[in-house]
Amino acid sequence: MDLKAFKKAIQQGIPDTLPQMPLYDKNINHAPKRKDILTKEEKKLAIRNALRYFPAKHHAKLAKEFAEELKTYGKIYMHRFRPQYKMYARPINEYPHKSKKATAIMLMIQNNLDEAVAQHPHELITYGGNGAVFQNWAQYLLVMKYLSEMTDEQTLVMYSGHPLGLFPSHKNAPRVVVTNGMMIPNYSKPDDWEKFNALGVTQYGQMTAGSYMYIGSQGIVHGTTITLLNAGRKIAPSPKRGAKDDGSLAGKIFVSSGLGGMSGAQPKAAVIAGAIGVIAEINPKVVEKRHKQGWVNEVYTDLDKLIERIKKAVKNKEAISLAYQGNIVSLWEKFAAEKMKIELGSDQTSLHNPFAGGYYPVGLSLEESNKLMVSNPNEFKKKVYESLKRQVNAIRKLTDSGMYFFDYGNAFLLEAGRAGANIFKKDGTFIYASYVEDIMGPICFDYGFGPFRWVCTSCNPKDLQLTDTIAANVLENIYKKAPAEIKQQLRDNIHWIKEAQKNKLVVGSQARILYADGEGRIAIAKAFNKAVRDKKLSAPVVLGRDHHDVSGTDSPYRETANIYDGSRYTADMAIQNVIGDSFRGATWVSIHNGGGVGWGEVMNGGFGMVLDGSTDSDKNLEAMLFWDVNNGIARRAWARNDGAVFTAKREIKRSKNLQITLPNLVEDKLMEGLF
């Protein structure tokens, strides 16, 4: 399809004439069938809901077709309307438009659905097993049409994948406002999601899928690298005074599971950190994809051969990633039986979605699991819980021998606890800490450091290379005057961005990520905007971040796991984050129920901002990025987190018009004998 035909297809939206049904492509990874959860009357309602997108002349044909999809997949995807043009992030000037900012959003949407990026692209799922960009292909077509027609005086309103419409607004308003999975609180149980998703009235946006800000596994590679480096520092002897502490993991083994959307970052991160990464994945298509992309070095199906290879890697202190194509429980049990010395362990199966493809129990093949989860959900749940108990037992044998295990915020501890696994202390808390509690919270989030990212809309690798250089120079200048408390964080990120090109992190759009605090983000963004204005960068840059950040997300078992004043179960911060970003210049904002730890377990707020070189962008980026970080700093400081109190006081001294309510600390002895 040439460019003219592509633009015409975008502007057409939902076609008036029914297109041919595309062939079912068996070569790509498809989502497992959803539960058959609707009653007969509810299934009729789901068909009525789907037919709303089409004129009455097509209803008779499509009603039968959608009923068959509901029967076959447990969900209506409208496969007939899947576009036949190639799905990928095109240069920003190739999209039809009236608003330049709208084209950047189109680019980001197509990147989320790129077959090289998305986990189940034909089901509009980007990662996490159920993290959707849209509920169906009619929504995609209509949204792209709206974006091609939008002016800078309109805002597109998105209700869980459904475009409510273009509404009059003004140029300083967000161009798109996204909500995903917003539910009345008593209707946020897993089966509620299955039901209302099947009805076609809500979706699970994950963190960056339904907010159009996913950049492939690179989006978590850096965070995983930082986590591994600091986990290595926890288990390593303290360096001699004045010695460089690079967190090297040379010769040390890191074991985990999952090579899908987000978890696929683990092998690459392990290698960057200098470790021997051993990652289990049961899906052969996923293993093959990661191996072809170069994110996994070697693949094994024989555990004895794998152990032999690991021992060789340890002896030679190789930085290498080894995939075990099989069940993670088998891997852990083999290591425990062999009494292998494992330094670091974690898990990144999608346990926020344990009974619908997020976790595959030991003893069943991939195919057997996919059938059982639909034919006998109760029996499948039983198998999952038995498997989790075995997994925990094997992990405990290794941690008793010195392995440091951390929960990676994927609901592993939560779901293992629900399974009745031996994972609790006497006081009812988990025996293992969340990585946020132990590592990322006190080291990064409390000091304002989080996953800042950008995308070069030119799709030109040379632009990305220049942004890397600009970011490195900015951070090096900040480092010269930085307080000791944040020098290590800056050193890690300067090293990361200088090595970024060599590590070949790009999959899909020309994107980059690094951990920066508010000062760093604003300074980098200003430098980018100036480079666009001076035409050193050939097209605008989109700013964003993972929702997994300082203030974007309220998640008691992940992002806010290190908040101990009792407020970890509240969600004011995420909501305030989105509201504040929306009137401070964000190009689009999003708020989601659900994310990496599950539906009803977390609230996620995100944004996108287009830097077009204008003075308006200079003003907006400073106002919005300042709030986006310091909202979380103020909340964390009020929770009495030491790093956040330090950061808040530092920010108050240097920022005009800023006042933060700081806590008065209470001596522990005053609490004695009160009750």
Side-chain angles (χ1 to χ4, degrees), residues 3-291:
L3 182 57
K4 184 177 179 181
F6 168 72
K7 288 184 175 182
K8 184 178 179 181
I10 292 292
Q11 291 171 314
Q12 176 184 237
I14 298 173
D16 186 59
T17 303
L18 293 181
Q20 291 293 315
M21 177 69 80
L23 294 174
Y24 184 86
D25 188 348
K26 295 182 179 180
N27 295 317
I28 69 163
N29 205 26
H30 288 280
K33 183 179 178 181
R34 311 305 317 179
K35 280 185 180 181
D36 183 10
I37 201 168
L38 300 181
T39 66
K40 185 176 179 180
E41 289 304 311
E42 286 170 339
K43 287 176 181 177
K44 291 179 181 178
L45 181 57
I47 303 298
R48 288 180 181 275
N49 289 344
L51 292 174
R52 288 183 289 188
Y53 290 97
F54 308 97
K57 64 181 179 179
H58 297 315
H59 284 186
K61 183 177 181 64
L62 291 179
K64 292 179 181 178
E65 192 171 294
F66 293 162
E68 187 61 30
E69 281 197 10
L70 194 57
K71 180 180 177 181
T72 304
Y73 308 115
K75 176 85 174 68
I76 300 170
Y77 296 109
M78 306 182 184
H79 285 298
R80 177 182 292 277
F81 296 93
R82 178 166 57 84
Q84 293 310 289
Y85 50 74
K86 187 172 174 59
M87 192 72 67
Y88 66 97
R90 291 162 167 79
I92 192 170
N93 292 324
E94 293 188 8
Y95 293 95
H97 67 278
K98 295 178 181 177
S99 164
K100 197 76 169 181
K101 290 180 177 179
T103 60
I105 301 169
M106 286 192 271
L107 179 157
M108 299 298 288
I109 288 172
Q110 288 207 298
N111 186 67
N112 270 23
L113 294 171
D114 185 337
E115 289 184 10
V117 174
Q119 186 180 17
H120 306 307
H122 290 185
E123 289 78 34
L124 302 116
I125 291 170
T126 301
Y127 68 94
N130 58 357
V133 189
F134 302 103
Q135 297 177 52
N136 56 59
W137 285 106
Q139 291 176 347
Y140 165 84
L141 294 174
L142 195 51
V143 165
M144 295 297 277
K145 179 177 186 290
Y146 277 144
L147 289 170
S148 74
E149 297 169 346
M150 169 190 286
T151 72
D152 286 333
E153 301 288 334
Q154 291 173 301
T155 293
L156 175 61
V157 178
M158 297 295 302
Y159 273 28
S160 291
H162 168 66
L164 197 66
L166 285 174
F167 290 82
S169 58
H170 53 84
K171 72 171 187 174
N172 293 322
R175 298 280 67 79
V176 182
V177 176
V178 179
T179 56
N180 279 302
M182 294 294 104
M183 302 297 293
I184 304 303
N186 283 346
Y187 300 89
S188 271
K189 298 180 292 297
D191 273 356
D192 290 328
W193 176 78
E194 293 284 359
K195 175 182 176 178
F196 294 113
N197 185 241
L199 282 173
V201 295
T202 196
Q203 72 173 12
Y204 193 80
Q206 260 289 349
M207 302 182 87
T208 51
S211 58
Y212 326 139
M213 191 44 73
Y214 191 64
I215 59 169
S217 292
Q218 179 185 178
I220 196 175
V221 169
H222 183 33
T224 306
T225 302
I226 294 290
T227 300
L228 290 178
L229 288 174
N230 284 295
R233 289 172 181 136
K234 287 182 74 68
I235 64 173
S238 297
K240 293 180 181 178
R241 185 170 183 147
K244 182 182 178 184
D245 179 13
D246 61 4
S248 176
L249 289 169
K252 293 182 172 62
I253 303 168
F254 167 62
V255 179
S256 188
S257 58
L259 290 173
M262 299 296 276
S263 56
Q266 294 177 110
K268 172 78 81 170
V271 171
I272 294 170
I276 300 154
V278 184
I279 315 296
E281 169 60 58
I282 196 170
N283 190 329
K285 286 183 179 178
V286 173
V287 175
E288 181 185 15
K289 179 178 178 179
R290 292 303 180 196
H291 191 228

Side-chain angles (χ1 to χ4, degrees), residues 213-498:
M213 191 44 73
Y214 191 64
I215 59 169
S217 292
Q218 179 185 178
I220 196 175
V221 169
H222 183 33
T224 306
T225 302
I226 294 290
T227 300
L228 290 178
L229 288 174
N230 284 295
R233 289 172 181 136
K234 287 182 74 68
I235 64 173
S238 297
K240 293 180 181 178
R241 185 170 183 147
K244 182 182 178 184
D245 179 13
D246 61 4
S248 176
L249 289 169
K252 293 182 172 62
I253 303 168
F254 167 62
V255 179
S256 188
S257 58
L259 290 173
M262 299 296 276
S263 56
Q266 294 177 110
K268 172 78 81 170
V271 171
I272 294 170
I276 300 154
V278 184
I279 315 296
E281 169 60 58
I282 196 170
N283 190 329
K285 286 183 179 178
V286 173
V287 175
E288 181 185 15
K289 179 178 178 179
R290 292 303 180 196
H291 191 228
K292 281 184 177 179
Q293 289 176 340
W295 287 52
V296 166
N297 298 130
E298 299 174 16
V299 177
Y300 292 84
T301 55
D302 185 302
L303 284 170
D304 290 322
K305 290 181 179 178
L306 174 61
I307 286 178
E308 185 180 330
R309 181 66 182 91
I310 292 169
K311 288 177 179 177
K312 181 182 176 182
V314 171
K315 182 180 178 181
N316 297 328
K317 292 190 174 182
E318 297 177 61
I320 192 169
S321 57
L322 310 173
Y324 170 57
Q325 188 176 302
N327 196 286
I328 181 59
V329 181
S330 301
L331 184 65
W332 280 122
E333 289 181 338
K334 181 70 171 178
F335 286 156
E338 296 283 334
K339 296 182 179 179
M340 288 279 289
K341 182 185 178 184
I342 308 294
E343 284 81 9
L344 299 174
S346 192
D347 185 276
Q348 271 203 45
T349 44
S350 295
L351 275 159
H352 68 279
N353 181 33
F355 312 122
Y359 183 90
Y360 288 89
V362 68
L364 295 177
S365 69
L366 181 72
E367 293 75 18
E368 288 169 339
S369 287
N370 284 336
K371 289 178 182 177
L372 187 62
M373 69 179 69
V374 175
S375 65
N376 193 339
N378 290 333
E379 180 64 18
F380 184 73
K381 182 176 181 178
K382 181 182 174 183
K383 295 282 188 186
V384 167
Y385 278 174
E386 288 172 354
S387 186
L388 280 168
K389 285 188 276 190
R390 282 176 59 177
Q391 184 171 343
V392 168
N393 288 341
I395 289 168
R396 286 206 67 160
K397 289 177 182 178
L398 292 162
T399 55
D400 287 346
S401 298
M403 179 178 74
Y404 172 63
F405 184 89
F406 55 91
D407 180 279
Y408 215 138
N410 63 328
F412 173 74
L413 293 179
L414 194 63
E415 214 54 58
R418 289 168 177 164
N422 183 18
I423 206 160
F424 294 105
K425 299 177 186 176
K426 289 182 180 179
D427 64 0
T429 59
F430 294 119
I431 56 174
Y432 305 122
S434 155
Y435 77 117
V436 172
E437 286 182 283
D438 251 13
I439 301 170
M440 299 306 280
I443 293 172
C444 290
F445 296 166
D446 286 351
Y447 288 98
F449 284 83
F452 180 58
R453 59 177 61 169
W454 62 89
V455 178
C456 296
T457 65
S458 64
C459 298
N460 187 338
K462 290 182 179 178
D463 274 358
L464 183 62
Q465 190 169 355
L466 178 56
T467 61
D468 287 346
T469 301
I470 290 170
N473 290 339
V474 167
L475 292 183
E476 285 179 327
N477 286 332
I478 290 173
Y479 180 81
K480 293 173 185 176
K481 296 181 180 180
E485 287 83 353
I486 62 171
K487 280 189 176 289
Q488 182 68 65
Q489 293 91 321
L490 287 165
R491 276 197 298 269
D492 284 345
N493 283 284
I494 290 166
H495 177 73
W496 162 267
I497 199 67
K498 286 186 171 181

